[in-house]
Amino acid sequence: MPFVNVANQQIYYAESGNASTNAQRGTPIIFVHGAAGSHLVWGLQLRTLGAIAHAIALDLPGHGRSDPPGRNT
């Protein structure tokens, strides 16, 4: 599972891209969910845009597969 460590907190992300190496994946597009959401709300966009760009959807702290606590700012 892809995680990145931010301020000692594991943040989950899902990604899709049009090539196997980061340098060739195209323009990056970052998807951020709303309150009570997760990366799962962006499934269709990840699959569709992954053909032409490097699409990344993250789980904000305390949401989805990311570590708690959540943040209010």
Side-chain angles (χ1 to χ4, degrees):
M1 286 189 196
F3 285 92
V4 63
N5 190 2
V6 177
N8 294 321
Q9 195 169 20
Q10 292 291 307
I11 304 298
Y12 177 83
Y13 65 94
E15 66 183 326
S16 180
N18 64 343
S20 60
T21 64
N22 285 337
Q24 298 175 339
R25 286 189 178 177
T27 303
I29 301 171
I30 310 291
F31 295 96
V32 181
H33 61 79
S38 74
H39 73 282
L40 297 174
V41 301
W42 301 112
L44 178 62
Q45 289 83 355
L46 284 178
R47 286 189 301 277
T48 303
L49 293 175
I52 60 170
H54 183 189
I56 304 164
L58 58 91
D59 284 341
L60 293 172
H63 293 80
R65 298 178 185 170
S66 291
D67 287 347
R71 309 268 170 76
N72 59 9
T73 61

